[in-house]
Amino acid sequence: HGGEAIANHDDVSTWEGGRRLIEAAVERFGRVDVLVNNAGTTKFVPLKNLDGLEAEDFHAIYAVNVVGAWQMTRALVPMLQAHPGSGVVNISSVASM
């Protein structure tokens, strides 16, 4: 349909990683109109097994799934607000259940 996309790999759990993703998009397209927060991670353990997750596991999961989405949105708000029709799409998964 004539659309273009780029693929980059970085770590949205860090401010620097998220900024690199945004910079790559702006470099290629000049601006960002839509942010899709789709990055996610988990560690599969039985629901009742609280010992299956260490604090470090929980922090790593939270850093990507929550902090990453917040940081990406926060970084792009000025650009998105400058262009009517821009927006943010947040995607979750069944792993959150």
Side-chain angles (χ1 to χ4, degrees), residues 63-83:
V64 172
N65 298 1
V66 178
V67 176
W70 170 77
Q71 288 184 142
M72 292 298 293
T73 303
R74 178 178 161 225
L76 279 168
V77 160
M79 190 178 310
L80 296 174
Q81 287 178 334
H83 302 287

Side-chain angles (χ1 to χ4, degrees), residues 8-9 11 15-16 30 35 46 52 79 81 85-86 88 90 92 97:
N8 287 354
H9 181 263
D11 183 358
W15 181 251
E16 298 79 17
L35 167 64
M79 190 178 310
Q81 287 178 334
S86 295
V88 177
N90 292 314
S92 185
M97 305 303 232

Side-chain angles (χ1 to χ4, degrees), residues 28-49:
R28 175 67 179 95
F29 299 109
R31 69 187 215 198
V32 174
D33 293 317
V34 177
L35 167 64
V36 179
N37 285 314
N38 190 44
T41 189
T42 195
K43 179 178 178 182
F44 292 100
V45 296
L47 202 54
K48 294 180 180 183
N49 181 8

Side-chain angles (χ1 to χ4, degrees), residues 1-15:
H1 297 319
E4 289 184 50
I6 58 173
N8 287 354
H9 181 263
D10 221 311
D11 183 358
V12 297
S13 73
T14 69
W15 181 251

